[in-house]
C-alpha cells in the first residue's frame, strides 16, 4: 500500500504533509519553506508555481493566477462582484469559469492541479518515493460542485483523491491527536478566502461533527482588499494617480496591504511604503484604524457561528474549547470577537497555517489503515433537494446530516406513455429554486405505460466526501438504471479526461521552464565566479587568454537570456573548457602562496 | 452487546439473523462481519432502526446507550475503514453507514423517534386523520392573513399600524409557543403510556387495540404540532 499524503489546498497558500510513527509532519520545500503560495504564473517557457510565481505576480500580473480557489465549481455569474479585483480575463463555458492568460485558457481545476503537482513533486523529492494518493481538504461550507471541482483537480494532477475532508474537521483531528481533547469544541477557521465554523463532540477517539456553517466568500483576501481600497483612494487624492489603470502597481499595493495587516497583529502601528512611478507613498496604519476598517468583516463571521450553535442544539456557554485556525485568526480583533461570543478564551497552540495539513495527514493515515483508534463523523453543510412544482425546492437531505447519508424518492408519470422525467438537483436552504445552488440535472427514462404505472426509485447518496451519487432502480422490474447526471457548474468526464491529457503536454512545457531557470542560475553563478577569478589572475595569464575568456563569457551572457536551456548548457561547458588553464594557474598560485606560509584562510578567500 | 430489556425483545433482531456471506457463502448468524472471511455484511433490508441499535420499540430510550451503539457500529461500518478494500466491500460499508446515520438521527430526536415508531406500526393504524381540527385550521388562516398584511406594510416603513400588528403577531407567537410546549408535554404522557403497554406486552400482536389507540392519539398531537410549529417559524421569520 503506497503512502497517502494530506494536502491543504488553500486560497493563499498550500501545504502537503505526511504521517509517521511520531505523528504528522508538514513537508518543507528545497528552500526550507513549508508553505507554497497558491499562485501560478505563465512565463514564455511554461508555468511556474509557488514562490517564483509570487515574484512573477508583481512583474507580470496579467499572466499570474492567484486565489483560484474562489473560482472552483462556479460560473461567471457567481463571481461578477469580484472581477474587478482580478487582473486576468474570465469567461464561462458549459457553466464553468475559464481563465484566460496569454493565449491559453484554463479551468480552475486545471490551475489547482498545477499547485497539486508542485506539492506532489515536493513530497516525492522529500520522501524519495512516488506519491499517487492523497487526502485533500476543502472549506466545510463548500458545496457539491466545489468539492467535485477539487476532485477533478486531483485527477488532472495525477493524484487519486481518496478523501475530501473539511478543513475545520481536519484541524480538529490534529488537535485531538495532539492534546487528547474531549468534550464539545468549536473550530473557528478564517482562511485566505473562506470562513468556516464547526461544532464537534470529541469522545473516545470519535470526532462527531454536530453542525457546521460558514461563508465561502469571506476570508483574509477581503481584509486585504479593504486596506487596498483605502490606499488606492489615498494615492488618487494625494498624487492624482489612478492605480486601477496600472495592474502592476495594484499588485504591489495588494502585497503591501497584506504585509501591513500581518505586521499589525504583532505591532500597534506600522508604515505602508509604496514606490510610485514618480514618488513614494507612505501611510502610517495603527491597529486601531485597521480594526475599525475591518470590524464589519469580523462581525460577518459571527452569524454563521450562532447558526451552527443553534443547529447543534447548544448554547455558546456549553462549548468547552474554542480553537482558531487559518492565518487570518492571528488578528487580535478576531480573538476578541470570538472570545466575546463564546465567553471563553480561544486558543491556537498549533500553527494555524499548518494545522489543517497536519489533520489531513492524520486522516490519510486512518484511510491507510495505520491509525485505527480515531474516526471522523462529518456532516453535509447544505440541504440537498430537488425542484418540485412551482419552482419550489423540496429538501431530501437536511443540512448537518451525518454523512454518508441517503434519501430515496419515487418517481412516476403524469401522462400516458410519458417516457422521461426531468430531475433538477439543488443545494441550499432557501424555499425557491432560484435562490438555491443548481447542482445538476438528469433525465430519468421510463417505460411507455399508462400514467402513474411506472415506478422508478431514485437514491440520492452523499458519500463520505460530501459528494452526491445518484442511482435509480425500476421498482417493477427491479433493474438498476444508469443515470447520466449533468453538472450545472462542473466539468464533464470527457473534459476532465482531455485536461488530464493536456496536463502531460503542459508538464513537458513546465519541465522546460524549470530547466531554463536552473541553467540560467548556473550560468549566472559561473559568470560571477569567472569574473572574480579573472580579477585575481590579472597578472598570471596572457592578455590574449583573458580576452578569449571574456569573449566566451559575453557569449554565455547572451545565450542565457534565451529560451534554449541546451544552448546555455553547451555554452557553460565551453566556458569551463576555456577556463581550464586559468583554473590551473590560479591553483598553482594558491599553492605557492600557501607554501610561502601565508595563512590558509587568507588563501582560500 | 448486553442490554437490560426482557429477552422477548430479542425476537426483533431476528430479521438480520441467519444468512449467507456474500463473499465466502458460509453461514452468517446475525453478525456484521463474516465469521469465516471477516468481510462486512450488508444490513438486512428488513432491519428497522430500533433493531439496528438493539433497542426495544420504546419511546423513552437510553440516549447514552444509543450514542454508544452508534459509535461502536460506526467503527464497524464507516467507509474510512474500507478505503483499501475492494469495491463490493466499499459499497456495503457506504450503504450500512448511510442506514446507521439515518437511524441515529431519527432515534436521537424524540419527535422523529415517535413519528418513525408510528410509521413502523402503521399497518395497524390506518384511520389516522391528517387534517388539523377545524379550530386550529381557522387560526392558521387568520394568522396567514395578518402575516400577509404585515409583509405588505413592511416596505412602506415604520407606522403605528405596523407596530400594532407586530405586537399582535408577537403575542400570537408566544401563545402558539406555549401551545406547542403543552402539546409536547402531553406527547410525553403518551410516550410513557406506550412504553408501559409495550414493556408489559412486547409482542407485536399483544394488546393491539390499546396500542393503536395510543398511536392514534400521538399521531394527532404530532400533526397538530407540525401546524403550530410551522406557524411559529413563519412568525419568527416575518416579524423577527
Amino acid at each position: 500500500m503506497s503512502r497517502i499524503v494530506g494536502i491543504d489546498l488553500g486560497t493563499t497558500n498550500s501545504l502537503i504533509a505526511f504521517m509517521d510513527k511520531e505523528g504528522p509532519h508538514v513537508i518543507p520545500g528545497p528552500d526550507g519553506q513549508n508553505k507554497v503560495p497558491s499562485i501560478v504564473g505563465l512565463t514564455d517557457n511554461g508555468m511556474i508555481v509557488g514562490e517564483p510565481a509570487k515574484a512573477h505576480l508583481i512583474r507580470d500580473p496579467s499572466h499570474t493566477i492567484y486565489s483560484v480557489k474562489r473560482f472552483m465549481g462556479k460560473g461567471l455569474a457567481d463571481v461578477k462582484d469580484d472581477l474587478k479585483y482580478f487582473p486576468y480575463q474570465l469567461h464561462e463555458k458549459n457553466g464553468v469559469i475559464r481563465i484566460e492568460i496569454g493565449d491559453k485558457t484554463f479551468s480552475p481545476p486545471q490551475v489547482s492541479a498545477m499547485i497539486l503537482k508542485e506539492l506532489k513533486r515536493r513530497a516525492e523529492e522529500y520522501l524519495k518515493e512516488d506519491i499517487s494518493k492523497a487526502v485533500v481538504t476543502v472549506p466545510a461550507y463548500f458545496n457539491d460542485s466545489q468539492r467535485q471541482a477539487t476532485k477533478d483537480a486531483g485527477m488532472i494532477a495525477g493524484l487519486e483523491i481518496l478523501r475530501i475532508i473539511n478543513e475545520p474537521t481536519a484541524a480538529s483531528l490534529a488537535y485531538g491527536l495532539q492534546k487528547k481533547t474531549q468534550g464539545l469544541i468549536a473550530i473557528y477557521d478564517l482562511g485566505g478566502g473562506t470562513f468556516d465554523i464547526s461544532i464537534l463532540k470529541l469522545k473516545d477517539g470519535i470526532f462527531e461533527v454536530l453542525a457546521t456553517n460558514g461563508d465561502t466568500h469571506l476570508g483574509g483576501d477581503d481584509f486585504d482588499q479593504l486596506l487596498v481600497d483605502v490606499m488606492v483612494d489615498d494615492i488618487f487624492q494625494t498624487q492624482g494617480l489612478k492605480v486601477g489603470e496600472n495592474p502592476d502597481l495594484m499588485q504591489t499595493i495588494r502585497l503591501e496591504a497584506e504585509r501591513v495587516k500581518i505586521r499589525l497583529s504583532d505591532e500597534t502601528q506600522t508604515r505602508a511604503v509604496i514606490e510610485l512611478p514618480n514618488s513614494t507613498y507612505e501611510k502610517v496604519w495603527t491597529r486601531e484604524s485597521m480594526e475599525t476598517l475591518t470590524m464589519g468583516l469580523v462581525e460577518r463571521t459571527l452569524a454563521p457561528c450562532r447558526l451552527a450553535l443553534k443547529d447543534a442544539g447548544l448554547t455558546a456557554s456549553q462549548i468547552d474549547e474554542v480553537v482558531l485556525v487559518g492565518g487570518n485568526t492571528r488578528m487580535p480583533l478576531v480573538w476578541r470577537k470570538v472570545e466575546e461570543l463564546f465567553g471563553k478564551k480561544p486558543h491556537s497552540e498549533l500553527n494555524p497555517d499548518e494545522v489543517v495539513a497536519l489533520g489531513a495527514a492524520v486522516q490519510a493515515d486512518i484511510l491507510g489503515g495505520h491509525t485505527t483508534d480515531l474516526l471522523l463523523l462529518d456532516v453535509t453543510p447544505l440541504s440537498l433537494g430537488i425542484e418540485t412544482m412551482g419552482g419550489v425546492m423540496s429538501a431530501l437531505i437536511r443540512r448537518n446530516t451525518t454523512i454518508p447519508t441517503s434519501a430515496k424518492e419515487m418517481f412516476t408519470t403524469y401522462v400516458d406513455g410519458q417516457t422521461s422525467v426531468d430531475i433538477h438537483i439543488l443545494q441550499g436552504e432557501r424555499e425557491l429554486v432560484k435562490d438555491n445552488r443548481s447542482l445538476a440535472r438528469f433525465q430519468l427514462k421510463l417505460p411507455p405505460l399508462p400514467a402513474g404505472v411506472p415506478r422508478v426509485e431514485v437514491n440520492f447518496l452523499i458519500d463520505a466526501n460530501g459528494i452526491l451519487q445518484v442511482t435509480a432502480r425500476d421498482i417493477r422490474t427491479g433493474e438498476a438504471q444508469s443515470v447520466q447526471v449533468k453538472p450545472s457548474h462542473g466539468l464533464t468526464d470527457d473534459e476532465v479526461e482531455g485536461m488530464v491529457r493536456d496536463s502531460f503536454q503542459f508538464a513537458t512545457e513546465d519541465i522546460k521552464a524549470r530547466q531554463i531557470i536552473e541553467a540560467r542560475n548556473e550560468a549566472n553563478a559561473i559568470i560571477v565566479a569567472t569574473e572574480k577569478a579573472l580579477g585575481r589572475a590579472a597578472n598570471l595569464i596572457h592578455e590574449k587568454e583573458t580576452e578569449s575568456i571574456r569573449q566566451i563569457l559575453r557569449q554565455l551572457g547572451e545565450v542565457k537570456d534565451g529560451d534554449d536551456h541546451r544552448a546555455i548548457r553547451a555554452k557553460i561547458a565551453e566556458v569551463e573548457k576555456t577556463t581550464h588553464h586559468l583554473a590551473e594557474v590560479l591553483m598553482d598560485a594558491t599553492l605557492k602562496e600557501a607554501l610561502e606560509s601565508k595563512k590558509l584562510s587568507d588563501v582560500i578567500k | 452487546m448486553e442490554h437490560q430489556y426482557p429477552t422477548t425483545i430479542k425476537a426483533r433482531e431476528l430479521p438480520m439473523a441467519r444468512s449467507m456471506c456474500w463473499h465466502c457463502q458460509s453461514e452468517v448468524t446475525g453478525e456484521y462481519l463474516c465469521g469465516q472471511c471477516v468481510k462486512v455484511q450488508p444490513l438486512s433490508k428488513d432491519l428497522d432502526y430500533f433493531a439496528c441499535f438493539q433497542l426495544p420499540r420504546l419511546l423513552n430510550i437510553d440516549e447514552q446507550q444509543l450514542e454508544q451503539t452508534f459509535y461502536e457500529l460506526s467503527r464497524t461500518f464507516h467507509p474510512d475503514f474500507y478505503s483499501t478494500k475492494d469495491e463490493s466491500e466499499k459499497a456495503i460499508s457506504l450503504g450500512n453507514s448511510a442506514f446507521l446515520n439515518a437511524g441515529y438521527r431519527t432515534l436521537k430526536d424524540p419527535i422523529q423517534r415517535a413519528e418513525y415508531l408510528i410509521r413502523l406500526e402503521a399497518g395497524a393504524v390506518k384511520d389516522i386523520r391528517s387534517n388539523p381540527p377545524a379550530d386550529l385550521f381557522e387560526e392558521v388562516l387568520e394568522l396567514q392573513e395578518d402575516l400577509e398584511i404585515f409583509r405588505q406594510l413592511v416596505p412602506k416603513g415604520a407606522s403605528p399600524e405596523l407596530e400594532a400588528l407586530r405586537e399582535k403577531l408577537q403575542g400570537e407567537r408566544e401563545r402558539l409557543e406555549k401551545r406547542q410546549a403543552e402539546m409536547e408535554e402531553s406527547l410525553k404522557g403518551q410516550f410513557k403510556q406506550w412504553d408501559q403497554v409495550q414493556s408489559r406486552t412486547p409482542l407485536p400482536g399483544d394488546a393491539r387495540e390499546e396500542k393503536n389507540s395510543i398511536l392514534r392519539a400521538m399521531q394527532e398531537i404530532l400533526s397538530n404540532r407540525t401546524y403550530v410549529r410551522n406557524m411559529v417559524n413563519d412568525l419568527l421569520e416575518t416579524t423577527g
Side-chain angles (χ1 to χ4, degrees), chain A residues 1 163 201 203-206 208 363 366-367 372-377 401-406 461 463 469, chain B residues 64 67 70-72 74-75 78-81 83-84 90 93-95 97-99 101-102 104-105 108 237:
Chain A
M1 173 82 206
R163 174 62 48 83
K201 181 175 188 174
K203 196 176 173 187
D204 308 327
I206 300 269
E208 186 190 357
Q363 179 67 21
I366 295 173
L367 296 186
T372 51
D373 52 340
L374 302 183
L375 175 62
L376 190 60
L377 300 171
T401 297
T402 308
I403 51 175
T405 188
S406 64
L461 183 136
D463 68 12
Q469 297 175 9
Chain B
Q64 290 281 337
E67 183 188 84
F70 174 58
Y71 286 169
E72 275 168 26
S74 291
R75 283 187 184 281
H78 198 278
D80 278 7
F81 301 126
S83 76
T84 60
K90 278 185 193 169
S93 134
L94 197 57
S97 278
F99 182 83
N101 288 336
Y104 182 56
R105 188 173 57 251
K108 200 165 67 166
E237 238 169 68

Side-chain angles (χ1 to χ4, degrees), chain A residues 256-543:
Chain A
E256 183 64 9
E258 191 189 358
R259 272 194 292 272
V260 164
K261 177 187 73 178
I262 291 170
R263 282 200 296 260
L264 287 177
S265 290
D266 297 319
E267 294 157 31
T268 53
Q269 76 171 54
T270 189
R271 188 181 294 271
V273 181
I274 293 157
E275 291 300 329
L276 302 177
N278 297 312
S279 57
T280 303
Y281 164 79
E282 291 195 27
K283 181 184 168 73
V284 173
W285 281 90
T286 62
R287 187 185 289 173
E288 211 187 335
S289 63
M290 189 188 62
E291 289 187 347
T292 312
L293 186 68
T294 58
M295 181 66 86
L297 290 178
V298 179
E299 277 173 350
R300 255 174 71 193
T301 66
L302 302 180
C305 293
R306 293 195 189 97
L307 273 172
L309 280 168
K310 187 167 173 263
D311 282 355
L314 296 168
T315 59
S317 61
Q318 285 173 282
I319 300 295
D320 297 310
E321 281 183 47
V322 183
V323 178
L324 299 183
V325 178
N328 222 74
T329 60
R330 288 202 175 87
M331 283 178 68
L333 176 64
V334 171
W335 282 71
R336 284 207 310 277
K337 283 283 155 192
V338 172
E339 184 178 348
E340 251 172 56
L341 177 69
F342 288 96
K344 55 185 60 74
K345 279 211 180 316
H347 62 84
S348 66
E349 286 88 347
L350 299 176
N351 182 338
D353 291 322
E354 297 183 355
V355 60
V356 168
L358 294 174
V362 176
Q363 179 67 21
D365 207 54
I366 295 173
L367 296 186
H370 306 297
T371 296
T372 51
D373 52 340
L374 302 183
L375 175 62
L376 190 60
L377 300 171
D378 218 323
V379 299
T380 177
L382 298 157
S383 300
L384 183 103
I386 49 172
E387 176 168 355
T388 56
M389 299 288 258
V392 173
M393 166 168 149
S394 152
L396 298 173
I397 295 171
R398 295 273 168 200
R399 69 164 184 270
N400 291 321
T401 297
T402 308
I403 51 175
T405 188
S406 64
K408 287 186 173 69
E409 189 77 5
M410 195 71 77
F411 292 92
T412 185
T413 52
Y414 294 99
V415 184
D416 290 346
Q418 185 182 342
T419 54
S420 68
V421 175
D422 289 318
I423 297 170
H424 185 195
I425 311 173
L426 304 153
Q427 212 169 20
E429 310 311 320
R430 305 282 297 276
E431 186 121 352
L432 297 180
V433 168
K434 65 176 175 59
D435 298 323
N436 290 306
R437 185 84 191 150
S438 167
L439 284 190
R441 292 169 191 274
F442 67 93
Q443 209 174 48
L444 205 57
K445 296 272 176 256
L446 296 157
L449 290 167
V453 174
R455 293 180 69 200
V456 176
E457 184 186 70
V458 178
N459 189 30
F460 299 86
L461 183 136
I462 300 180
D463 68 12
N465 299 310
I467 293 180
L468 179 68
Q469 297 175 9
V470 181
T471 50
R473 197 167 56 93
D474 190 322
I475 292 295
R476 289 178 326 113
T477 63
E479 270 171 42
Q481 198 186 93
S482 78
V483 178
Q484 291 294 323
V485 173
K486 196 198 163 301
S488 307
H489 297 282
L491 301 168
T492 62
D493 291 351
D494 287 348
E495 272 186 293
V496 172
E497 244 170 69
M499 287 170 185
V500 171
R501 279 196 302 274
D502 285 350
S503 87
F504 287 114
Q505 186 206 324
F506 292 144
T508 331
E509 286 176 29
D510 302 343
I511 288 170
K512 199 178 149 208
R514 215 173 18 259
Q515 281 170 330
I516 292 167
I517 291 172
E518 282 166 7
R520 204 174 279 162
N521 289 343
E522 203 173 312
N524 284 331
I526 280 189
I527 291 172
V528 170
T530 313
E531 291 283 2
K532 212 170 153 190
L534 279 177
R536 279 181 54 199
N539 302 318
L540 300 173
I541 58 168
H542 202 275
E543 207 174 296

